[in-house]
Amino acid sequence: RQQYVGKLKFASLEASQGSKKLVVATEKNVVAALNSRSGEILWRHVDKGTPEGAIDAMLIHGQDAITVSNAGRILRSWETNIGGLNWEMSLDTGSFQVASLVGLQDVVKYVAVLKKAAISLHYLSNGHQKWVEHLPGSESTQYQLLYSHGTGVIHVLGIVPQSHLNVLTFSVEDGEITKQVIRVAAPWLKSLNGVCSVVGEAVLVCVDVDTHSLYVCSLETEQEMKQILLQSLDLEFADGFQPRILATQPNVISASRTQFFLQLSPSHFSLLQYKHGLLSHLRDFQQAALVSFATTGEKTVAAVLTCRSELKPGSSDGLRAGSTLEDSRKQESLTCSNQTYNINLYLVETGQRLLDTTITFNLEQSGAKPQQLYIQVFLKKDDSVGYRALVQTEDHMLMFLQQPGKVVWSREESLAEVVSLEMVDLPLTGAQAELEGEFGKKADGLLGMFLKRLSSQLILLQAWTAHLWKMFYDARKPRSQIKNEINIDNLARDEFNLQKMMVMVTASGKLFGIESSSGTILWKQYLRNVKLGSSFKLMVQRTTAHFPHPPQCTLLVKDKETKMSFLYVFNPIFGKRSQVAPPVLKRPILQTLLLPIMDQDYAKVLLLIDDEYKVTAFPATKNVLRQLEEIAHSIFFYLVDAEQGKLSGFRLKKDLTTEESWEVIIPTEVQRIVTVKGKRSNEHVHSQGRVMGDRSVLYKSLNPNLLAVVTESTDTHHERTFIGIYLIDGVTGRIIHSSVQKKAKGPVHIVHSENWVVYQYWNTKARRNEFTVLELYEGTEQYNATAFSSLDRPILPQVLQQSYIFPSAISAMEATITERGITSRHLLIGLPSGAILSLPKALLDPRRPEIPTEQSREENLIPYSPDVQIHAERFINYNQTISRMRGIYTAPSGLESTCLVVAYGLDIYQTRVYPSKQFDVLKDDYDYVLISSVLFGLVFATMITKRLAQVKLLNRAWR
């Protein structure tokens, strides 16, 4: 199991040299502490996955971390050493704006929370509310800033867009407004966030693009803005860029620093100082990507992350297929040509660079840009400044760096949101590949085949002696020194094909190759031009079985907004981009189809259907097009339009155009399509029927083209909600079965396999979770035992249905799968608690009798009981719980008894399950000594008895 926290939203690095932890809050609604020495999670709290659990702010004071979550409704205090909850308070509703620690004299005692219409002050020790005050004129004024610096008052700044600012001053003791509301005219100001900041002794500094100037105003003494033109400092804004101001207040009981950063363009920052009414320019940073302030003791430093070579506008790399670089993204896409970055420290008072404070690091491998920079500064023994840096890149990787550029650790947080997953067999070793082609081809002749056989045997002997030598060499070492590290060079398939390569695609557009037995990341690849919210489909076109052709995976990436797609073709074992050029997709893709036909290089053919119902084949060689023409009459596909409630079927013509063959309309005003689930293409069914108690056979209806369509009612009233399930033939559009579950609602989880469908839903009348199972049978006679065709099925199958009560909600559900389908099937059910339950399919059998008969006992049917119990011994992950599980993936292994399982969510967990126990493997307690000694004894006895018999015969002959 591997645990993750997600993309960072807030992070705090303790400002002491010996500190061992950093406290983070993430976009996945997680509060956690990481070990700063190793990057491991010390403790972690996972909130709800919905916007209700979103963390809006995090403040650190000493050993306490204060978080505001659920849009400002919940205020919590955490003990950062062990992760315990100190206290929790629920606040009044209202749109959350900002939170801040408030000090009085020399002590930080309170936390202030500013909402749209009110401000409240709470004690840090127990969270109790000291006072709450309504903000005047909150209908028209947007209150967005809060400032205090230990003088017993809190300044609240509100803005009436393009009119004026309101400055309120509250007393910390009783919440009284101590000064008259100050109105400061600011007709050019639209918002305070990012544009304004407080520096020095409560001086507000704002930046205005149109007049190319800064405006300053003291909150305590002045009532109007003073304009300072930036041209006087020779500073210019970049066109179309919204400048930002970044100031720092190291301690809430003392004033802010008078220095601040002004961002003039995406890669241009200036360090300015406003002191005693004068604005001075301290230093210019031309090639800066990120800046940050940090303080230790009395020293405040500015950290600046710059590119080592010149920043240049991002070149559209080859992955971008058919789409152009929009103007709005030009300013963001400044890339560093050699992916090498420097971090330097500067004294804020003078802008002077501190010597020996450079950290140099390289992001060549991922190609992603740094996105956030957090600095941990400490004073060394000789009073010089030392520091460590935490850098988060746009592909959600965390790097913890120390001088002069050593990567202490890195974490791949994009694995907290895996969206697609496939398992690929590992390649054969050289010796195994030789064995595969041991006998050569018939064209080689008898002598050639014999020589090939001899050479391959020699290679195997060589490999075996090398293995023996390694065993002998390792046996002399202590066990702790023997390294069984897996790297990309020594990857090889094991005897039973239990180790595989897990290819994972994450929501940030990063691909990973992970070795399944150890969880080692062997390669990673970042797709630069993938936008947030894109959907992915991963397909294996060629496996490792076709040596010397490399395996090949194809990833289809579809943009959510433009609906445009592109293909990325790569080698799943090494992660390298393939030499094969995929077709450029000029139209949005609606459906993909992986056909069983192959090209001359053994790559399966991928059909892509666009919004004009035209078909593109990949690879599109002459050989493939000829094969497509031959089998076009038997290629059908379906499209789902959930918004219009339409399912339509198409067939392929010889000239690769399509024609509609059927259509099913589900009225959207009554119900909407939620899921459409087909069967897995790699699934094998071992037995065609079930032997009944009277020795007759009940044949399964095995339709490979069957689709299970789940609909939910649009009316959400608990008396009128329902769930519909339709079993539709994907070739003819014939509705084979439909049923409606009244007073039921989603979310619906469904598994469709062999001749059965299991789905789970919430029963609103009985207020419980339920399973319904459907099984399809042809009857006691098979219509056509040799071949199946959807076009020739006059008789509808018999449908058996049964429902069961399940005592828990469900996060994910999948069925086990094995190489030949002999092993009995289990349902793997992911529970919200993080456990995975392995439930035998036999428990969800619609033929379970209420009153057992002789025949049902003969058939081993369990008597019907409506409850499905959760037994703890059926959990396959014991105490290794998976937070916020989103999916379960199953794959067959080389052993028929074994199925490989990967569960993913916020964590990733991999294991093996044995639904019918390990019937094809000798047990661990198998008595080799006894069996061997009995065998040797028998051989010895036969040799002696043979000798005795010969002597006896000889003696008889002499008589």
Side-chain angles (χ1 to χ4, degrees):
R1 178 181 68 162
Q2 290 176 347
Q3 294 184 301
Y4 299 96
V5 293
K7 185 185 178 188
L8 296 197
K9 211 172 181 178
F10 309 101
S12 165
L13 286 71
E14 290 180 356
S16 65
Q17 191 170 0
S19 87
K20 289 183 184 171
K21 65 178 179 298
L22 34 127
V23 183
V24 297
T26 72
E27 290 184 0
K28 288 276 172 202
N29 309 350
V30 173
V31 182
L34 304 178
N35 183 335
S36 61
R37 307 271 169 93
S38 63
E40 288 168 5
I41 297 174
L42 295 171
W43 54 263
R44 180 181 76 166
H45 292 287
V46 183
D47 211 333
K48 292 177 187 168
T50 56
E52 283 182 13
I55 297 163
D56 303 304
M58 181 173 83
L59 308 164
I60 303 284
H61 175 64
Q63 297 301 322
D64 295 340
I66 315 293
T67 59
V68 181
S69 52
N70 190 1
R73 291 199 183 101
I74 294 174
L75 187 67
R76 293 189 179 103
S77 169
W78 306 94
E79 207 283 328
T80 57
N81 286 324
I82 54 167
L85 183 68
N86 291 329
W87 48 261
E88 177 180 90
M89 292 299 287
S90 66
L91 310 178
D92 300 335
T93 56
S95 172
F96 172 77
Q97 296 297 327
V98 69
S100 168
L101 295 169
V102 175
L104 201 57
Q105 277 93 34
D106 296 338
V107 199
V108 180
K109 284 187 183 174
Y110 314 106
V111 57
V113 179
L114 176 67
K115 300 219 173 164
K116 190 174 186 294
I119 177 172
S120 56
L121 198 71
H122 300 261
Y123 288 98
L124 262 183
S125 53
N126 54 20
H128 291 170
Q129 187 175 293
K130 184 174 169 74
W131 51 258
V132 59
E133 290 295 328
H134 184 75
L135 299 170
S138 59
E139 292 79 28
S140 60
T141 313
Q142 299 168 13
Y143 289 97
Q144 293 173 337
L145 261 182
L146 185 68
Y147 183 75
S148 77
H149 58 106
T151 54
V153 294
I154 301 171
H155 301 291
V156 176
L157 279 78
I159 178 176
V160 177
Q162 298 186 319
S163 172
H164 63 271
L165 281 171
N166 279 353
V167 182
L168 308 177
T169 308
F170 292 93
S171 161
V172 172
E173 283 302 325
D174 52 11
E176 290 289 313
I177 295 183
T178 55
K179 278 170 74 176
Q180 192 59 36
V181 177
I182 303 172
R183 280 180 59 135
V184 181
W188 45 270
L189 204 54
K190 297 189 181 96
S191 163
L192 293 172
N193 293 338
V195 182
C196 294
S197 222
V198 181
V199 301
E201 297 272 349
V203 177
L204 181 72
V205 178
C206 292
V207 60
D208 179 30
V209 189
D210 302 328
T211 58
H212 289 270
S213 51
L214 285 177
Y215 287 87
V216 290
C217 166
S218 170
L219 301 179
E220 290 174 352
T221 57
E222 298 171 350
Q223 297 203 2
E224 60 184 41
M225 288 272 194
K226 190 169 93 179
Q227 184 178 7
I228 301 170
L229 287 170
L230 283 176
Q231 283 158 344
S232 59
L233 300 171
D234 294 334
L235 295 177
E236 277 293 317
F237 292 137
D239 292 338
F241 179 73
Q242 177 59 54
R244 285 172 44 242
I245 286 182
L246 178 71
T248 179
Q249 185 182 9
N251 197 337
V252 289
I253 48 178
S254 57
S256 292
R257 290 282 174 189
T258 53
Q259 299 82 14
F260 60 94
F261 272 116
L262 173 64
Q263 187 175 6
L264 302 157
S265 81
S267 62
H268 185 187
F269 291 83
S270 269
L271 183 61
L272 305 174
Q273 173 172 299
Y274 183 77
K275 207 170 186 179
H276 309 310
L278 288 172
L279 183 72
S280 52
H281 181 213
L282 298 175
R283 192 165 184 138
D284 220 24
F285 301 102
Q286 288 284 358
Q287 302 293 338
L290 295 168
V291 294
S292 172
F293 283 113
T295 302
T296 174
E298 293 300 308
K299 275 190 184 175
T300 298
V301 292
V304 180
L305 187 145
T306 53
C307 176
R308 277 201 72 170
S309 68
E310 293 220 346
L311 283 162
K312 58 180 185 183
S315 57
S316 168
D317 50 8
L319 305 178
R320 185 172 290 281
S323 56
T324 56
L325 200 67
E326 299 118 41
D327 293 341
S328 62
R329 295 200 58 184
K330 268 186 188 156
Q331 60 187 40
E332 294 172 34
S333 65
L334 286 162
T335 54
C336 190
S337 57
N338 62 357
Q339 292 294 330
T340 306
Y341 297 89
N342 280 349
I343 302 174
N344 283 303
L345 291 194
Y346 299 85
L347 262 182
V348 290
E349 286 85 4
T350 59
Q352 220 177 331
R353 189 164 83 86
L354 294 169
L355 297 173
D356 303 328
T357 59
T358 306
I359 286 182
T360 305
F361 66 98
N362 192 301
L363 291 174
E364 196 113 39
Q365 198 181 0
S366 67
K369 299 198 297 284
Q371 215 173 33
Q372 277 172 311
L373 173 68
Y374 303 97
I375 296 291
Q376 175 188 26
V377 187
F378 48 83
L379 287 175
K380 294 180 183 169
K381 286 174 184 169
D382 59 355
D383 247 15
S384 64
V385 176
Y387 74 111
R388 299 189 191 100
L390 180 68
V391 177
Q392 178 168 269
T393 59
E394 60 185 347
D395 61 352
H396 304 184
M397 182 172 83
L398 291 180
M399 291 172 77
F400 196 60
L401 306 153
Q402 69 181 36
Q403 293 160 276
K406 183 190 169 196
V407 179
V408 184
W409 51 261
S410 65
R411 290 179 63 87
E412 291 290 352
E413 288 304 336
S414 60
L415 283 168
E417 34 187 352
V418 174
V419 287
S420 188
L421 164 66
E422 283 291 342
M423 273 189 163
V424 182
D425 294 352
L426 292 178
L428 298 164
T429 59
Q432 288 169 330
E434 279 292 333
L435 202 65
E436 292 280 319
E438 187 175 297
F439 297 100
K441 300 180 184 70
K442 281 188 181 176
D444 294 346
L446 197 65
L447 187 68
M449 286 162 73
F450 178 67
L451 288 171
K452 186 147 179 95
R453 175 85 195 252
L454 273 179
S455 65
S456 62
Q457 293 289 345
L458 277 169
I459 289 168
L460 281 173
L461 186 68
Q462 205 177 339
W464 184 65
T465 48
H467 176 66
L468 279 181
W469 174 249
K470 187 177 182 297
M471 280 173 63
F472 173 70
Y473 189 70
D474 283 351
R476 293 161 59 195
K477 285 186 186 174
R479 185 169 284 185
S480 58
Q481 285 180 21
I482 300 171
K483 285 185 181 175
N484 283 333
E485 281 183 7
I486 292 166
N487 60 34
I488 213 148
D489 303 320
N490 63 13
L491 270 185
R493 196 180 304 180
D494 60 302
E495 216 169 327
F496 298 122
N497 202 2
L498 296 167
Q499 280 171 268
K500 300 211 179 199
M501 177 69 83
M502 302 192 291
V503 181
M504 294 190 181
V505 184
T506 61
S508 65
K510 197 165 187 183
L511 280 70
F512 291 90
I514 298 177
E515 199 277 326
S516 65
S517 63
S518 63
T520 315
I521 296 173
L522 295 175
W523 59 263
K524 47 198 172 189
Q525 192 71 40
Y526 178 54
L527 306 184
R528 289 286 303 278
N529 48 339
V530 173
K531 289 188 192 165
L532 278 175
S534 296
S535 53
F536 302 88
K537 187 170 183 183
L538 183 62
M539 294 151 286
V540 182
Q541 274 190 290
R542 183 169 52 224
T543 61
T544 47
H546 306 288
F547 184 82
H549 297 289
Q552 180 178 315
C553 276
T554 302
L555 177 69
L556 177 75
V557 183
K558 187 173 181 180
D559 194 309
K560 199 177 182 183
E561 292 162 15
T562 61
K563 301 281 187 278
M564 292 305 283
S565 311
F566 70 86
L567 289 174
Y568 178 72
V569 186
F570 63 98
N571 179 332
I573 302 298
F574 300 107
K576 293 194 177 92
R577 197 169 172 182
S578 174
Q579 304 295 323
V580 184
V584 173
L585 309 174
K586 298 202 169 72
R587 307 280 322 163
I589 297 295
L590 300 180
Q591 177 71 289
T592 60
L593 214 61
L594 202 59
L595 300 181
I597 64 170
M598 293 182 179
D599 70 349
Q600 63 272 28
D601 294 336
Y602 304 101
K604 284 185 183 172
V605 176
L606 180 66
L607 286 191
L608 304 150
I609 297 100
D610 63 24
D611 60 347
E612 292 178 343
Y613 310 124
K614 288 189 180 138
V615 173
T616 310
F618 167 63
T621 58
K622 283 181 184 173
N623 177 12
V624 165
L625 297 173
R626 184 177 49 76
Q627 287 186 70
L628 275 176
E629 266 182 42
E630 287 169 11
I631 64 157
H633 61 87
S634 63
I635 295 177
F636 296 81
F637 60 91
Y638 69 93
L639 297 175
V640 184
D641 188 342
E643 286 172 12
Q644 295 178 11
K646 189 167 88 170
L647 281 109
S648 43
F650 292 81
R651 55 183 283 267
L652 193 66
K653 291 188 187 171
K654 287 196 172 182
D655 58 351
L656 292 193
T657 55
T658 57
E659 66 172 350
E660 193 172 55
S661 53
W662 57 268
E663 189 176 77
V664 174
I665 303 280
I666 290 169
T668 48
E669 57 273 10
V670 182
Q671 54 189 342
R672 58 194 170 85
I673 299 172
V674 187
T675 0
V676 177
K677 190 93 185 238
K679 295 181 185 177
R680 288 175 67 163
S681 57
N682 61 342
E683 185 176 84
H684 290 278
V685 181
H686 179 66
S687 58
Q688 291 193 326
R690 290 177 64 164
V691 179
M692 311 229 289
D694 58 1
R695 295 290 180 273
S696 62
V697 176
L698 186 62
Y699 288 102
K700 296 174 183 176
S701 169
L702 299 168
N703 181 348
N705 308 318
L706 196 64
L707 303 174
V709 181
V710 181
T711 63
E712 272 185 47
S713 60
T714 44
D715 190 341
T716 51
H717 188 273
H718 66 91
E719 285 291 322
R720 296 188 292 273
T721 57
F722 66 84
I723 275 170
I725 180 123
Y726 301 88
L727 299 182
I728 299 176
D729 191 306
V731 170
T732 59
R734 184 184 192 188
I735 297 179
I736 284 163
H737 172 75
S738 68
S739 67
V740 169
Q741 221 91 25
K742 289 183 178 170
K743 293 179 183 168
K745 66 173 194 169
V748 178
H749 294 276
I750 183 165
V751 171
H752 184 190
S753 175
E754 291 193 17
N755 65 323
W756 50 267
V757 176
V758 173
Y759 58 101
Q760 179 265 355
Y761 53 89
W762 173 256
N763 183 329
T764 54
K765 186 182 179 185
R767 300 179 66 79
R768 65 191 181 200
N769 289 286
E770 289 181 2
F771 274 123
T772 294
V773 56
L774 303 172
E775 281 193 11
L776 286 81
Y777 291 99
E778 281 191 34
T780 49
E781 285 183 15
Q782 259 182 312
Y783 175 69
N784 183 347
T786 51
F788 181 88
S789 169
S790 287
L791 302 167
D792 176 30
R793 286 279 137 176
I795 308 156
L796 279 175
Q798 304 168 13
V799 180
L800 306 178
Q801 183 170 345
Q802 186 74 274
S803 289
Y804 295 89
I805 301 162
F806 193 66
S808 163
I810 279 181
S811 305
M813 185 160 73
E814 188 54 90
T816 58
I817 184 169
T818 53
E819 189 92 356
R820 309 210 175 280
I822 298 168
T823 308
S824 56
R825 307 297 289 272
H826 276 210
L827 280 176
L828 300 174
I829 299 164
L831 306 179
S833 63
I836 305 171
L837 178 75
S838 182
L839 191 70
K841 167 67 181 63
L843 286 175
L844 301 177
D845 190 337
R847 297 184 62 247
R848 281 174 64 175
E850 287 184 30
I851 299 154
T853 59
E854 195 60 47
Q855 283 195 1
S856 71
R857 285 195 199 97
E858 185 81 21
E859 213 182 316
N860 280 338
L861 286 176
I862 308 161
Y864 177 71
S865 149
D867 281 329
V868 175
Q869 300 290 325
I870 294 179
H871 295 294
E873 62 267 24
R874 286 202 179 121
F875 290 154
I876 62 170
N877 57 338
Y878 311 110
N879 63 343
Q880 307 271 313
T881 53
I882 298 118
S883 289
R884 225 178 282 157
M885 201 184 309
R886 278 200 319 280
I888 297 171
Y889 176 88
T890 55
S893 71
L895 286 172
E896 173 54 34
S897 64
T898 308
C899 169
L900 304 174
V901 180
V902 183
Y904 54 91
L906 198 59
D907 307 332
I908 295 173
Y909 175 75
Q910 196 269 336
T911 188
R912 302 170 193 165
V913 288
Y914 315 101
S916 302
K917 303 279 193 309
Q918 284 184 288
F919 58 81
D920 50 3
V921 177
L922 290 175
K923 288 190 175 66
D924 289 340
D925 56 355
Y926 184 78
D927 202 336
Y928 293 95
V929 179
L930 179 71
I931 300 290
S932 309
S933 53
V934 167
L935 275 173
F936 278 123
L938 285 170
V939 170
F940 194 60
T942 47
M943 285 164 71
I944 291 171
T945 48
K946 189 179 175 185
R947 176 76 187 133
L948 288 172
Q950 280 174 345
V951 170
K952 192 177 179 184
L953 278 170
L954 191 65
N955 289 342
R956 190 183 290 170
W958 277 107
R959 266 184 212 155

